Structures are given as structure tokens and as C-alpha cells.
Amino acid sequence: MQLADKYSPESIEQKWYDFWIEKNLFHSEPDGREPYCIVIPPPNVTGMLHMGHMLNNTLQDVLMRRARMQGKNACWVPGTDHASIATEAKVVAKLKEEGIDKASLTREEFLRHAWEWKEKHGGIILNQLRKLGASCDWERTCFTMDEARTAGVLKVFVDLYRKGLIYRGVRMVNWDPSAKTALSDEEVIYKESNGKLYYLRYKLEGSEEYIVVATTRPETILGDTALCVNPNDERYKHLKEDARVIVPLVGRSIPIIRDEYVDVEFGTGALKVTPAHDVNDYMLGEKYGLESIDIFNDDGTINDKVGLYVGVDRFDCRKQIEADLTAAGLMERVEPYTNNVGYSERTGVAIEPKLSMQWFLSMEELAKPATKAVMEDVISFVPAKYKNTYRHWMENIKDWCISRQLWWGQRIPAYYLPKGGYVVAESAEEALKLAQEKDASLTMADLRQDEDVLDTWFSSWLWPISVFDGIRYPNNPEIEYYYPTNDLVTGPDIIFFWVARMIMAGYEWRGERPFKNVYFTGIVRDKLGRKMSKQLGNSPDPLDLIAKYGADGMRVAMLMSTSAGNDVMFDEALCEQGRNFCNKIWNAYRLINMWEEDSTIAQPEAAKQAIAWFDEVMRERIERVAHDMEQYRISEAFTELYRLFWDDFSGWYLEIVKPAYQSPIDGETLACTKHYVDQLLRLLHPFMPFVTEEIWQDLKPEADVCSIVIAREPKAERKADEKILARFALAEEVITAIRNMRKQKNIAQKEVLTLRYIADENYPAEFEAVITKMANLKAVEPTTEKDPAAAAFIVKTTQYFVPMEGSIDKEAELEKLRADLEYAEGFLASVMKKLSNERFVQSAPEKVVMNERAKQADAEAKIAALKAQIEALS
RNA sequence: GGGAGCAUAGCUCAGCUGGUUCAGAGCAUCUGCCUUACAAGCAGAGGGUCAGGGGUUCGAAUCCCUUUGCUCCCACCA
């Protein structure tokens, strides 16, 4: 086959992906082999691929493809998440564009629109993953809200309810006034905001005295039902036990209560208490039996409870109240103030603490086995530093608010009865049966299902089980075979949302961990260190990058810059490097492909030597890569292979065995070289699937294996011979020294030279042919005498001379030699200092001391050689 | 307020149980090459007080303390 001189990914990637699908190489069914399974962190069904997905899925694909090549039954389950709030918000926005108000629709109508939207946009993201080369088992694609998953969720809800872990009640929750739903604590993000601290005057009833109260939220005075001071505060000791104050503007009379909760140091030491709109105030309200006045509508506007500012948005109201208080002389002063305000993770609006009726899941018992599993490394976290974070959260876990006031999601399977009370069941039919046990006269029409849906994470926490339908059918062969899964690759930002809860669910419904290892990736940042975001516009479209540099190039960029738990500073230059590497691989193959075999010619000595060496290099590198991968040092593993291919194979091996232009190559060398290419491609394939497949298919080393996807990973049958590697390194040094000399003395590479050496044990005689070829020498000769007319250098302890035509610059040579000598002597001195230290010799391990003695011997030999050369020259 | 982590070449980072693979890699820079696989390349070179200070040790980039600077997580005194 004629190959183009540049690798062009666009023409081959689709071809091979289609081929893999056609051959069904990514599909897995339970069989006798060892399973290797990853469940994908399901992206939002209507989402688009971003750089974070790229990183995450590249890593997963590397793990998958490697396991597959190890002969395991590899199964990567893809899917999407219905993402209740995010998707509902998108659908609402889209309807609004069309002039449709959500409020004007029935639940059924809205859901029809939502499903339509899902059918249209859902799955785009999964197609994008194919472009990356993701080897998912697409036949297994799941959706958190499809039939099987939904049935599982309902079953779990009923199960937890019957176990008494799910309860319903009025609690202070995080209210999102934009999405008009409650949120879990995890969905609230606290950010420092520049606000103001307002000092308001509360007039003491029956007196002209004012009590000044500091607050950041003056609009909540509408809901004030008490004022609170610390009982030990001298400033307020004069107040009567039953003293009352008048809420400014509102005119309501409220009691003054005394509680040590109030910080004397803060503000004026007086606190206004609004039980409906502040968590701490709520607790005070409970304690002292205060009235709770909810002043907000669900959308954050003021309701008509008080009759003031009705319908005004909370932030407008704050401004108006500030003005009105000032006008009424009730505003003492206003100070700038920085405090933390909670915002909704999804809609970005400020959260309103709100009392409301919600469903909760009691977490304490669920957390126990899950905490233990991680702390005892039954499930191991990579990097381990996240164990602490995890433990802290788990040990202080709060009940999970699982109800959402949305329509897009799994509807809570609770059915209310006409005369009060409710039943919980997986279906309306079962609910009716339960209801009829209470009251035989009830009919379906009497049941009213709860309006709320469940938190999205209430379905994703079952993911490793539910993708195999293991909730509904806990003994089915699939779940028995694939569960527990092996690795989970995800970001640390969802450690609480998802990872922790999956672990809890795993133990609750399988009595077993859901996965063995969790690999936490970092966040992808731009080269300035900023998080990539739509708002900043600093996030490149990954598909553009793939189009420009190829999927393999893109994958390399991700791999080069990542290590577990560390953020990725993304720079497009990395993609370029990735693309260049593809091209390097391509051209190395092109070279080999051009060679013409002549089985009658003898194998050159240099080629024999190169093969002897490269066999060991392969062994060593295979082992190192395996070792790195075991520890999830994926970036390091890849870098090893990058250097192996580029430096060792292309830079050294190929240059050594390369026949002269248009000369044929001997059969044995060609066969060996092709074997190396085959091995290298296999090693690289998990990282760079497309380019390796393209070349492998051309090479066809195994007639009965249709794709490199299912070819076996190379193994080192024994440990590498360290001595051969070390000896070759000496030869490399000699070659480099000669090249250096050419450069310094302006001798063209083409000009052939002679090398003389004074033989000793550090002369790599077994690689003499390599040296001859790579340094372009006409002869290599042993000698016993120093040649003053030659350029000289020393490698380890061996002296080398390159006779020069014409004179050499004696002074320059001498200067260099003297500098070397000085360095060597300094080095020897530091070694001797250690060795003459009795305590060192006594306390250091024998190996270390031996090493120092070897250093001493080497340094002494080198010094002797240097001195000899200096003498010969001067 | 509590906790965790980071600081090594211009940039991004390795450096695993303290000791010859200890000061490294890639990118960038500089020099010389369009040498018939690859200029998306080849051959070379320069560049670091391992954040500052102290300690432990025969020996510290590595362990301990401390200062400074940055990042993240948790908590939320209005």
C-alpha cells in the first residue's frame, strides 16, 4: 500500500469506528471470562460534550480498551441522565420562546413537550462520544428515566419507605425561586457576595427608646416574630422580662426573647427573628414557640400575608424597604458587608431558606457500611486524599431532601386518601389495594398521587445496579456477572452527589461495593488556570479540536496533562503534540513499509546488536507501563510509551537498522522490526485507537484476528536485562559525544571519521557496529597511546580519540578537559567525605555504601584518564 | 471558623519507602541541518538556592516545625 506522507485522521476515524461497530467488538455478554466493567457517569441527556467529558471518557476508554486486550470480558455501559432541574429549565425556556407558559400547560402536556425535546436532543452527546473513539457497548445504552430504571427507582422508594427510612415533613429547605423547587444541601453553592449590613430601629413598646438591630436582609422584617438578645448582654439587662418592640414599617408588636445563641460581639447584639426565612431563626422559633410568617411566594416575590410590597421581587423589595426605612427615620446606618450567600447550582439564583413540606431520606444508617468500605480501602480512592473529604461528609451526613417541585422526573409513588393519610406503592393498582385495606369503599378516583418528582440523583445513585436491571431482578445473570463493577472515573465535584450515594445504594441493595476503584479526575482549566466555562467563553469545542487534530491527537492532549485528582491546564499546543505523535507513528510505519526484503543478504552486525538491545527495551517498558497502570498513573504510562516509540524505536532502533537508500533489507531484521511495530501498536492502542488500527490493519500480523481492538496486549515473558540496557546507554553516550564534537568543530555528518579507544571494562564492544553506523565512522580501533592530535573525550572511564585532519585547538581542548577534571575531583571529594565519615559507613545500608565505593572507583579512574589526556595534550 | 492540598527550569508537571536512574521530562527558547520515513522532522545547547526560615539525620526536593503565597472542600454570626 502506498502511504501518504502525512497522517490524516479525518479520512480514517469514521471508517474504523464503523468497522468496530459492524464487527460488534464493544458488545459484551456474560461468559466464562473475567469481567471488566465500567458504568459511564451519565451525562445530562440534553447536554453537549465539553472538555471535562473528553478527559473523563478518554481515561475510561483507555481502561476499557486495555482490559479488552488483556482478554477480559470488557463492558462499558453508556447512558444519559434525565437531569431533572436542568432539563426542565431548558424545556421551560424553549416553550417560552414559542410563547408558551409552563403554567398554562397540564402536567401531561408539559411532559409530552419534554419527551419530545429529549427525543430530539438526547443522545447527541452519546454520538459525540463515538467521535472520541469511546468503546461503549451501545446496545446497553440506558436512560435514568427509561422504563426499567424508573421501575427500579419506584421499587427502591417503596422499599426505603417500608424500612422507615423515608419520611415526609415540614422542614426548612433550600428553595430555588427560579425553578420553584426545593433543593438538597449539595445543590447549593455558597459564594462570597458584597452586600450591606443594615442597622434598623425597633421602637420599644411604651417607650421612646429604640433597639437597633443589624441585618443583611431588611425585607424579611415583614416576617419578624421576635427580637432576640443574649441574656448576659449588659446593654439589654434593663429591659423588662415581657418587653416588646414594634417592627418598623410593619407596626407589628413582637416579644423580646433571650437566648445565648446571640453573639454579643456581632452588630448591636440584637437579632431579629424570622422563623420562616432563616435556618437559625427557625430553630429559635421552635424553641420559643414563635409564630412563623412566610412572606414569599414560590417565585421569590412578596405575598399578601402582611399587605405591604405585595408582588414585589425580594431584591426590589430590599431596595424599597431601605428607602422607606430611611425616609421614616428608622434606618440608623448602612455598612458595606461581605457575607456568604447560597446560590442554586442549576439556575444560579440566590437560594431562599423556606419552610415547606418535603420528602426526606434518613441517611445515617445507610452511611455506615459505605463509610467503612472506603476507610478500609475495600473501595479505593485514587488519589487517596479524597478519603478524608468523604469521611467528613459521611460522618456528618444530613437527611436527604429527595422531593422536587418539578414535573420532569420520577413522580413520587405516594397516594393521598380523601380522608387524610396516604399509601406508598410501586403502582396505582397496588396503592389502591393498600388503600382499600384501610377503607374498602375507595376507588381509583379517590387516590391522588403526590405532585412532586424525585431528585435526579435518586435515580443515578442506583446506576451501577440499575443498568443491569438489578433492582427489579436482583438475581439476574447480568447483575450477578458484572457487579461489582471495576473502576469508576469521575470528578471530585460529585463525590457527595453521586459517588457516596452509589456506595450507600450498593451496600443497601446488593450488600456489596458498586465498584472496586474510584479514579478522580481534575477539572479542565485553560492555560491561565481558569475553569473552562460557557460564560468565560474559554472552552474550546472538543469536536472542533477533534476535527483539527484528530481524535487520537485530542486524546493524547488529555493524557499528557492529567494525573489523578489534579486539574488539567489545557493548552491547544498539547493537541498539536498529539497530532505530531500520530504523524510520527505513521511515518515510522511508512519507512518500514517502503523497505524491500532480500532474504539472501546477511543480517548486518549493527541490526543484530540493535535487536539484542531493543528486545530488552521492550521488556523493560512493558513492565513499567503495567506498573504505572496498576497505580492508575495513566499519564506516566502513556509518556513511557511516547518516549519508547519516539526516542528508542524511531530515534535509535530504526536509524540503526535502516538500510542505505534504495538498498534492500535482510529478512530477519525486517521480521523483527515488524514484530516490534505490532507490539508497539498494541501497547499504544488503548491510548490512540484510530491510528494504531489503521496501521495494524495494513500490517496484519495475525490473520485470524480482525482488529487490534481484540488483539492481545504484549507481555514481557521475563525481566529486562539491565546490563544490556546500561551497556547500550554507554554506546549512546559515545555516539552523542562524537556528534557533539562534529558540531563543535564544524564537521559535517557526512564526513566519515575514525574512532580510537583505550579498552577497559566500560567499553561497549558488543555495540561497536551500532557506534560505527550511528556516528558515521569508517573504523573503530583500539589503541594504547594517547593521541595529542586527536579530539578526545571520556565516557564513564573509557578514553576515546577522534583523529582530526589538520590541527585541533589545543587550548580549547585543554580548557574543557580541565573543567571536567575539576568537576570530577569535586565529585570525588564529596564521595570521599561520605566514605570517610564513620557514622555514614556504619549506619547507611550496605547497598548505599557499596554504591559510594563504586562511585569512588569510577571517579578515580575518570580522573586518571583525564589527567592522562591533559598530559598528552600539553 | 474547621479541614485538605499545592509551591521544583520561562510554561505544564514527574521525582514512589530519605542515599547514582537526584536535581529530571515534555513544551517553549537558542544554534546547525530542507541528511530520500517524518520541518508535524533531525542533531545539539542553554536554563533551577527544589517558595523563605528553622529542625531531625552520617545524609533532605523528599521527614518535622514555622512564615509567606495560592487552590479546593466543609460550616454559615444575623
Side-chain angles (χ1 to χ4, degrees):
Chain A
M1 187 168 105
Q2 272 297 330
L3 300 173
D5 67 347
K6 292 258 192 301
Y7 171 65
S8 51
E10 64 278 9
S11 62
I12 67 145
E13 287 178 358
Q14 192 62 47
K15 173 183 75 181
W16 290 120
Y17 202 87
D18 291 345
F19 175 80
W20 296 331
I21 296 297
E22 181 202 313
K23 296 282 179 186
N24 210 18
L25 301 179
F26 304 152
H27 181 59
S28 165
E29 293 285 340
D31 62 20
R33 290 175 295 165
E34 181 190 341
Y36 176 85
C37 183
I38 294 182
V39 292
I40 207 166
N44 288 1
V45 67
T46 62
M48 298 296 251
L49 216 57
H50 59 242
M51 296 301 285
H53 293 122
M54 275 334 216
L55 170 63
N56 187 288
N57 288 293
T58 296
L59 292 168
Q60 288 178 72
D61 198 43
V62 169
L63 295 172
M64 285 313 303
R65 286 181 181 268
R66 192 173 138 86
R68 202 175 282 119
M69 292 180 79
Q70 286 169 337
K72 292 176 188 162
N73 186 348
C75 181
W76 185 6
V77 186
T80 47
D81 191 300
H82 66 279
S84 157
I85 296 185
T87 306
E88 180 149 335
K90 279 186 189 174
V91 175
V92 169
K94 178 229 167 202
L95 288 172
K96 203 172 174 186
E97 267 175 38
E98 297 168 7
I100 304 170
D101 181 11
K102 180 191 167 193
S104 73
L105 299 176
T106 65
R107 186 180 191 117
E108 287 64 36
E109 286 166 345
F110 178 82
L111 286 176
R112 256 202 307 281
H113 280 112
W115 277 104
E116 222 172 78
W117 168 273
K118 184 257 170 188
E119 292 313 322
K120 200 167 154 197
H121 298 271
I124 290 180
I125 196 159
L126 297 182
N127 283 320
Q128 293 178 321
L129 279 178
R130 290 170 167 92
K131 297 269 181 241
L132 181 67
S135 59
C136 299
D137 183 353
W138 299 108
E139 287 175 39
R140 293 180 175 276
T141 305
C142 293
F143 176 47
T144 52
M145 218 165 81
D146 61 22
E147 206 186 319
R149 263 48 65 185
T150 296
V153 164
L154 299 183
K155 187 176 172 193
V156 157
F157 185 95
V158 173
D159 183 47
L160 289 168
Y161 177 76
R162 294 201 179 133
K163 285 172 179 161
L165 294 174
I166 281 182
Y167 63 93
R168 185 169 180 257
V170 175
R171 298 285 187 285
M172 187 65 87
V173 296
N174 309 296
W175 186 261
D176 179 330
S178 169
K180 292 181 217 165
T181 178
L183 300 178
S184 67
D185 294 342
E186 288 67 43
E187 287 164 295
V188 180
I189 300 163
Y190 287 90
K191 279 185 248 173
E192 258 198 3
S193 327
N194 294 318
K196 294 174 185 171
L197 192 57
Y198 303 84
Y199 288 80
L200 316 184
R201 291 179 176 151
Y202 285 62
K203 191 166 182 281
L204 198 60
E205 206 170 56
S207 155
E208 287 308 304
E209 192 184 336
Y210 286 98
I211 294 181
V212 177
V213 175
T215 179
T216 54
R217 302 199 57 192
E219 70 278 12
T220 62
I221 59 171
L222 299 176
D224 282 355
T225 54
L227 200 132
C228 188
V229 296
N230 192 299
N232 305 317
D233 194 330
E234 294 297 334
R235 288 169 293 183
Y236 303 111
K237 282 234 162 122
H238 66 286
L239 297 174
K240 278 187 277 175
E241 220 21 63
D242 60 350
R244 297 178 76 85
V245 291
I246 307 293
V247 180
L249 299 181
V250 181
R252 183 189 303 135
S253 163
I254 57 171
I256 295 177
I257 57 173
R258 287 157 187 85
D259 194 283
E260 305 220 345
Y261 164 75
V262 177
D263 182 356
V264 179
E265 304 293 319
F266 189 88
T268 60
L271 171 75
K272 64 192 251 346
V273 184
T274 321
H277 299 293
D278 183 279
V279 185
N280 297 302
D281 291 12
Y282 174 69
M283 291 187 304
L284 284 174
E286 290 280 279
K287 194 166 166 187
Y288 295 97
L290 300 173
E291 192 191 348
S292 179
I293 305 173
D294 186 344
I295 61 166
F296 292 119
N297 292 312
D298 286 351
D299 62 357
T301 57
I302 305 293
N303 63 24
D304 57 5
K305 288 256 173 66
V306 181
L308 293 170
Y309 309 102
V310 177
V312 178
D313 178 77
R314 52 192 171 146
F315 297 111
D316 296 333
C317 180
R318 184 178 302 172
K319 283 182 205 143
Q320 286 184 30
I321 280 196
E322 180 182 359
D324 293 347
L325 285 166
T326 308
L330 295 170
M331 181 77 79
E332 177 106 350
R333 64 182 195 282
V334 182
E335 290 174 353
Y337 187 70
T338 322
N339 67 337
N340 275 335
V341 177
Y343 294 91
S344 164
E345 189 213 12
R346 284 292 154 200
T347 65
V349 302
I351 288 300
E352 201 59 60
K354 186 181 166 77
L355 269 182
S356 69
M357 176 71 87
Q358 302 289 344
W359 292 89
F360 295 88
L361 174 57
S362 164
M363 301 302 282
E364 216 182 315
E365 286 306 311
L366 293 174
K368 279 177 187 165
T371 312
K372 197 168 166 238
V374 171
M375 294 324 290
E376 292 176 359
D377 292 314
V378 173
I379 296 171
S380 73
F381 278 11
V382 182
K385 65 178 177 186
Y386 289 111
K387 281 165 73 176
N388 281 330
T389 313
Y390 177 85
R391 178 173 63 185
H392 182 259
W393 189 76
M394 291 295 264
E395 286 177 351
N396 297 285
I397 199 158
K398 301 211 183 91
D399 287 356
W400 177 10
C401 175
I402 53 174
S403 47
R404 295 290 179 277
Q405 287 65 55
L406 300 166
W407 283 342
W408 180 245
Q410 278 110 4
R411 194 165 173 181
I412 289 178
Y415 299 82
Y416 298 98
L417 309 179
K419 290 176 188 164
Y422 58 86
V423 291
V424 168
E426 285 176 52
S427 69
E429 290 71 28
E430 278 173 56
L432 183 61
K433 268 186 226 159
L434 288 175
Q436 285 170 338
E437 284 172 21
K438 295 187 179 183
D439 178 350
S441 71
L442 290 174
T443 66
M444 197 59 106
D446 295 318
L447 298 185
R448 189 178 51 80
Q449 188 176 357
D450 195 295
E451 294 294 328
D452 292 352
V453 299
L454 289 158
D455 182 5
T456 295
W457 300 102
F458 196 84
S459 48
S460 15
W461 75 323
L462 308 175
W463 194 241
I465 307 173
S466 66
V467 293
F468 300 113
D469 215 350
I471 297 288
R472 284 199 297 183
Y473 307 108
N475 301 316
N476 82 65
E478 297 240 314
I479 188 86
E480 300 272 8
Y481 181 72
Y482 292 112
Y483 193 97
T485 67
N486 297 71
D487 298 324
L488 177 79
V489 180
T490 192
D493 49 331
I494 52 175
I495 187 168
F496 308 135
F497 276 120
W498 196 44
V499 180
R501 288 170 183 161
M502 275 193 288
I503 297 173
M504 291 188 259
Y507 282 100
E508 184 65 16
W509 287 286
R510 300 291 311 168
E512 201 179 350
R513 57 188 172 173
F515 27 71
K516 294 165 189 147
N517 304 288
V518 184
Y519 179 100
F520 289 105
T521 65
I523 295 165
V524 183
R525 297 176 181 279
D526 66 11
K527 57 180 167 182
L528 299 175
R530 298 174 306 179
K531 196 170 170 172
M532 285 191 171
S533 74
K534 272 188 193 162
Q535 285 160 344
L536 277 172
N538 60 347
S539 177
D541 183 337
L543 294 183
D544 290 347
L545 292 174
I546 287 178
K548 200 164 161 195
Y549 301 103
D552 291 331
M554 176 80 210
R555 291 166 66 113
V556 167
M558 300 276 80
L559 290 164
M560 303 226 45
S561 52
T562 180
S563 65
N566 288 336
D567 289 355
V568 176
M569 299 294 170
F570 181 78
D571 186 338
E572 203 170 314
L574 290 166
C575 293
E576 210 174 310
Q577 201 182 338
R579 178 200 60 181
N580 294 356
F581 186 41
C582 292
N583 199 45
K584 186 72 188 177
I585 297 171
W586 181 256
N587 273 292
Y589 181 64
R590 232 178 105 225
L591 172 68
I592 295 158
N593 197 50
M594 268 176 204
W595 289 343
E596 215 164 290
E597 184 181 347
D598 181 346
S599 50
T600 63
I601 57 175
Q603 187 177 31
E605 199 55 32
K608 262 187 213 168
Q609 295 178 356
I611 288 164
W613 161 71
F614 200 72
D615 274 340
E616 302 307 323
V617 175
M618 286 295 283
R619 289 192 180 102
E620 191 214 22
R621 227 52 76 83
I622 285 170
E623 213 166 275
R624 275 198 343 217
V625 168
H627 184 248
D628 284 339
M629 290 301 290
E630 250 167 58
Q631 297 173 282
Y632 295 89
R633 297 159 64 92
I634 299 173
S635 181
E636 284 81 352
F638 175 73
T639 306
E640 289 287 351
L641 292 174
Y642 179 92
R643 304 236 296 266
L644 171 64
F645 197 98
W646 200 307
D647 299 340
D648 297 297
F649 183 66
S650 301
W652 287 102
Y653 176 83
L654 286 181
E655 290 299 333
I656 296 168
V657 303
K658 181 159 86 176
Y661 180 53
Q662 288 189 332
S663 305
I665 190 163
D666 67 281
E668 200 168 337
T669 304
L670 184 62
C672 274
T673 306
K674 284 188 167 172
H675 174 68
Y676 292 145
V677 173
D678 172 36
Q679 300 274 293
L680 289 165
L681 290 174
R682 290 174 199 237
L683 288 168
L684 283 164
H685 179 259
F687 304 89
M688 308 169 78
F690 294 106
V691 67
T692 49
E693 178 76 308
E694 172 75 7
I695 296 171
W696 202 78
Q697 291 287 346
D698 195 62
L699 191 65
K700 270 271 173 259
E702 271 186 272
D704 55 342
V705 179
C706 74
S707 164
I708 193 171
V709 167
I710 49 169
R712 283 291 168 279
E713 171 193 68
K715 286 222 152 45
E717 70 286 7
R718 62 164 170 81
K719 268 195 171 307
D721 186 331
E722 299 281 343
K723 198 174 166 217
I724 292 178
L725 294 171
R727 298 283 289 180
F728 190 85
L730 291 174
E732 279 183 9
E733 263 190 75
V734 173
I735 293 159
T736 303
I738 296 169
R739 284 173 177 168
N740 222 332
M741 183 174 291
R742 284 178 188 274
K743 172 114 176 161
Q744 278 168 8
K745 302 192 190 313
N746 246 326
I747 302 169
Q749 177 63 29
K750 285 175 196 155
E751 196 177 320
V752 287
L753 300 171
T754 299
L755 177 70
R756 300 212 172 90
Y757 63 93
I758 298 179
D760 68 0
E761 74 278 4
N762 287 319
Y763 174 70
E766 68 273 43
F767 294 117
E768 196 173 284
V770 169
I771 296 172
T772 306
K773 178 160 185 184
M774 296 299 278
N776 196 21
L777 304 172
K778 61 175 175 266
V780 180
E781 302 160 349
T783 181
T784 48
E785 58 204 66
K786 290 96 192 165
D787 181 351
F793 61 90
I794 294 171
V795 170
K796 197 142 186 184
T797 58
T798 315
Q799 298 183 61
Y800 295 87
F801 307 93
V802 179
M804 289 285 138
E805 309 249 334
S807 62
I808 58 160
D809 185 345
K810 240 181 178 183
E811 271 317 304
E813 290 291 315
L814 274 172
E815 204 176 310
K816 220 179 116 248
L817 288 168
R818 284 190 190 118
D820 285 354
L821 179 62
E822 198 181 329
Y823 178 86
E825 281 175 335
F827 180 75
L828 179 63
S830 81
V831 172
M832 293 317 289
K833 198 178 156 196
K834 275 191 205 174
L835 284 171
S836 60
N837 183 334
E838 233 172 84
R839 297 176 69 184
F840 168 76
V841 179
Q842 275 172 9
S843 37
E846 196 177 340
K847 220 173 118 186
V848 174
V849 178
M850 297 260 289
N851 244 324
E852 290 300 315
R853 293 209 195 284
K855 272 156 78 176
Q856 179 194 354
D858 279 357
E860 281 168 353
K862 182 155 196 165
I863 286 166
L866 281 164
K867 280 184 174 161
Q869 288 202 342
I870 289 169
E871 204 177 310
L873 261 179
S874 46

